[in-house]
Amino acid sequence: MASGNSFYITTPIFYVNDAPHIGHAYTEVAADVLARWHRQAGDDTWSLTGTDEHGEKILRTATANGTTPKEWADKLVTEAWKPLLATINIKNDDFIRTTDERHETNVQLFLQRLFDAGFVYSGEYEALYCVGCEEFKPQSEIVDGTGPFEGQKVCAIHSKPLELLQEKNYFFRMSDFTDRLLALYEERPEFIQPESARNEVIQFVKQGLSDLSISRSSFDWGVKVPWDDSHVVYVWFDALLNYVTAVGYGQDEEEFARRWPATHIVGKDILRFHAVIWPAMLLAAGLEVPKQVFGHGWLLVGGEKMSKSKLTGIAPTEITDTFGSDAFRYYFMRAIAFGQDGSFSWEDLSARYQSELANGFGNLASRVIAMVTRYFDGVVPAEAERTDAELVIHAEVSAASDLADASMEKLAVHDAIAAIWRIVDELNGYITDQEPWALSKDEANRERLGTVLYTALEGLRALAVLLSPVLPEATARLWTALGAVGALGALEDQPLREAGTWGQLPAGTQVSALEALFPRIEATVN
């Protein structure tokens, strides 16, 4: 049943020039888990991802490869970025490219409206520019070079020399919005999360904002400035607008009103663009600011942020080819507190796969269904008299369901999974304590055996629903094995916020064989 609540969630749009690594996939999975949760909870959900295809970096790379920027972008979207979504099982509603006509046309419309309102002016600009960041760098991100770059100024993020650019550009009067942004952050503390990200942005804005150069005239790969086609729109100004052009801004106002504002999931390295520049742009245009900007932490490998240039990037397929997409999704959402930096290691991934997925959840599902098949010919038994042991399970399922939903509302995906996993642990302990294999030896315990196995089956039903946004493949197989498709309908149609309501799996339902949800992996992965 639809809740009437709108939930529009976005990932950043990724530079096509970069090769997808697990850092990109981490952001995609987080947004996808949240979207699947809200969609199954009945919220009016829309999930957007896409690619950023303009700018000098794309132009230079395409030229170096003997092709046009558009042909280069088409190749990378087809061969790298869209396949990434399939690799990690992303169920996005839309994929926007900044070369889409719907985007380019309405970027020009937005910019023209700002120009007409007096928020854009022309001027001379000279500053150090990082092609990798596609940004004129603030002083805080300019450092002295070392080694081969000694004596030069380099980007603190990319560790590569900066270019001194002097151009006649168009500027956005961002300095007009310093006080309005600080008021926004004060009135809506949830606007930027987590708290560490909020504090960082507030301190940055309190120093005062400078006007922003929003055009380039030294190259032509980008959206043309509508009143001066000798300039193209600054790539970040162009890219940020994808969040509104994708949902109808300028062409379908009814759809735009339905979807906007959005929750943005971004890496903390691009937080300032989303939490400072973007809301200032929207305020200037008279549009509502985003619902929330959430800056998650970095994935670290060997103590460093993953980077293509530093050869620390790990392709998602290096993990999914061995462990599968479900394990990929579970590991990164469970092992890392969402919002904080987290270190990836093959050893931790392998250990969690074996102990939590294979032994914890997978083995629980397999042995419960095997016992129902052995002791009741595969027919779900009726629940008879309940004892305190069953009531504990009932309470745990209900509490875990509520806590998980509350955690997802706060974007605390790791806390939601931890809450759900308490059901796994409680059921494993319950089965160990109740010993259904021992009960099966005496016909006098037949009703008691049925109650124990029904309790375990109903717990698995709740787990299948609650874990489906995280483990879509494994839970679909479990749902089929429980016979729930015929009894209750498709898994994706189950009202997620009612998952903790006890007694939904009807007695008499026929279960079927279940292959291991998470087969054991013996090979050493490194």
Side-chain angles (χ1 to χ4, degrees):
M1 179 181 296
S3 69
N5 296 324
S6 174
F7 184 73
Y8 172 32
I9 190 165
T10 74
T11 71
I13 52 173
F14 299 107
Y15 278 124
V16 287
N17 231 28
D18 295 332
H21 56 58
I22 60 174
H24 302 111
Y26 174 60
T27 309
E28 291 279 9
V29 168
D32 185 64
V33 168
L34 289 162
R36 284 176 184 260
W37 185 277
H38 281 270
R39 192 179 293 122
Q40 192 161 340
D43 298 334
D44 185 13
T45 300
W46 198 254
S47 175
L48 174 71
T49 191
T51 45
D52 185 359
E53 302 175 17
H54 290 136
E56 190 169 8
K57 182 164 57 174
I58 306 297
L59 175 63
R60 290 185 182 186
T61 307
T63 301
N65 282 274
T67 187
T68 68
K70 183 61 165 63
E71 289 170 340
W72 181 247
D74 288 345
K75 173 182 171 64
L76 291 172
V77 168
T78 301
E79 296 180 2
W81 289 100
K82 287 191 173 179
L84 168 67
L85 305 183
T87 295
I88 52 178
N89 201 355
I90 302 300
K91 193 178 181 180
N92 55 300
D93 295 291
D94 194 5
F95 187 99
I96 191 166
R97 301 175 58 182
T98 54
T99 52
D100 288 345
E101 182 181 357
R102 59 173 171 161
H103 176 73
E104 293 187 340
T105 298
N106 291 299
V107 166
Q108 291 183 313
L109 174 66
F110 184 96
L111 188 54
Q112 185 69 57
R113 287 175 175 174
L114 260 57
F115 181 76
D116 293 343
F119 287 109
V120 176
Y121 65 93
S122 64
E124 296 287 338
Y125 195 61
E126 181 177 277
L128 291 170
Y129 189 83
C130 174
V131 175
C133 293
E134 297 276 16
E135 179 189 13
F136 289 103
K137 301 305 294 183
Q139 195 60 43
S140 61
E141 294 180 10
I142 299 173
V143 297
D144 292 326
T146 59
F149 304 133
E150 188 172 356
Q152 302 182 62
K153 296 296 183 182
V154 303
C155 171
I157 295 173
H158 288 91
S159 301
K160 290 185 177 179
L162 299 167
E163 300 179 12
L164 181 63
L165 298 182
Q166 183 176 24
E167 295 180 351
K168 178 182 178 181
N169 290 344
Y170 289 97
F171 290 79
F172 168 52
R173 297 184 188 278
M174 197 164 69
S175 58
D176 290 358
F177 295 92
T178 301
D179 292 340
R180 290 183 67 181
L181 287 173
L182 289 172
L184 168 67
Y185 307 150
E186 178 69 23
E187 293 164 8
R188 290 176 48 187
E190 79 289 349
F191 177 71
I192 305 170
Q193 287 295 313
E195 192 68 19
S196 58
R198 178 174 180 269
N199 292 336
E200 176 187 327
V201 169
I202 289 174
Q203 291 308 310
F204 175 80
V205 176
K206 279 184 174 179
Q207 298 171 25
L209 297 176
S210 301
D211 290 347
L212 178 70
S213 172
I214 58 168
S215 75
R216 299 290 307 279
S217 58
S218 57
F219 62 92
D220 63 358
W221 176 238
V223 179
K224 299 290 186 182
V225 170
W227 62 86
D228 184 351
D229 63 8
S230 67
H231 286 247
V232 294
V233 179
Y234 170 47
V235 65
W236 267 105
F237 197 94
D238 159 14
L240 286 164
L241 284 162
N242 91 90
Y243 303 124
V244 294
T245 62
V247 289
Y249 173 79
Q251 61 186 24
D252 187 342
E253 294 304 320
E254 183 178 347
E255 178 70 2
F256 182 58
R258 174 184 178 184
R259 300 294 177 198
W260 188 256
T263 295
H264 299 313
I265 305 296
V266 301
K268 66 180 182 180
D269 50 334
I270 55 173
L271 178 66
R272 190 174 75 250
F273 294 98
H274 289 80
V276 180
I277 297 175
W278 178 223
M281 292 165 58
L282 292 165
L283 289 169
L287 297 175
E288 192 171 351
V289 299
K291 178 181 177 183
Q292 187 176 64
V293 178
F294 190 96
H296 68 69
W298 288 336
L299 286 188
L300 307 176
V301 175
E304 287 194 53
K305 178 179 181 285
M306 217 161 298
S307 166
K308 177 184 176 183
S309 61
K310 295 181 181 179
L311 304 180
T312 54
I314 298 171
T317 51
E318 294 182 58
I319 295 174
T320 58
D321 285 352
T322 298
F323 294 95
S325 63
D326 271 5
F328 183 103
R329 295 165 64 91
Y330 173 82
Y331 175 75
F332 287 107
M333 293 299 98
R334 177 76 192 272
I336 299 168
F338 195 53
Q340 299 178 17
D341 291 349
S343 294
F344 168 78
S345 78
W346 291 104
E347 294 78 11
D348 188 41
L349 168 62
S350 182
R352 285 181 179 270
Y353 178 91
Q354 295 295 351
S355 65
E356 297 172 19
L357 292 176
N359 295 341
F361 179 43
N363 187 52
L364 169 68
S366 295
R367 62 176 178 156
V368 168
I369 288 178
M371 284 188 287
V372 173
T373 301
R374 184 180 308 120
Y375 304 140
F376 289 91
D377 296 323
V379 176
V380 175
E383 184 181 29
E385 183 178 354
R386 299 168 180 172
T387 69
D388 288 346
E390 284 73 56
L391 295 179
V392 167
I393 298 297
H394 297 182
E396 185 60 56
V397 169
S398 177
S401 177
D402 291 343
L403 180 56
D405 191 46
S407 297
M408 287 291 190
E409 287 291 335
K410 296 185 294 185
L411 308 191
V413 181
H414 56 291
D415 286 339
I417 298 174
I420 298 166
W421 219 255
R422 283 164 45 183
I423 302 174
V424 175
D425 295 336
E426 287 288 340
L427 285 176
N428 275 317
Y430 172 78
I431 291 171
T432 298
D433 292 343
Q434 299 305 315
E435 299 183 318
W437 49 88
L439 292 173
S440 70
K441 295 177 181 177
D442 188 341
E443 188 62 27
N445 296 324
R446 184 74 174 170
E447 279 194 356
R448 180 63 193 157
L449 175 61
T451 297
V452 169
L453 290 180
Y454 182 85
T455 300
L457 287 166
E458 179 64 359
L460 287 174
R461 177 208 55 81
L463 282 171
V465 176
L466 293 168
L467 287 172
S468 60
V470 183
L471 305 171
E473 293 185 1
T475 53
R477 294 199 300 274
L478 174 58
W479 193 251
T480 298
L482 289 171
V485 176
L488 298 172
L491 177 57
E492 59 267 26
D493 294 334
Q494 304 309 302
L496 193 144
R497 293 188 178 113
E498 298 174 18
T501 302
W502 194 260
Q504 295 185 42
L505 187 64
T509 300
Q510 183 73 46
V511 304
S512 58
L514 177 66
E515 294 184 8
L517 295 179
F518 299 96
R520 298 189 183 281
I521 296 172
E522 304 298 339
T524 300
V525 180
N526 53 43

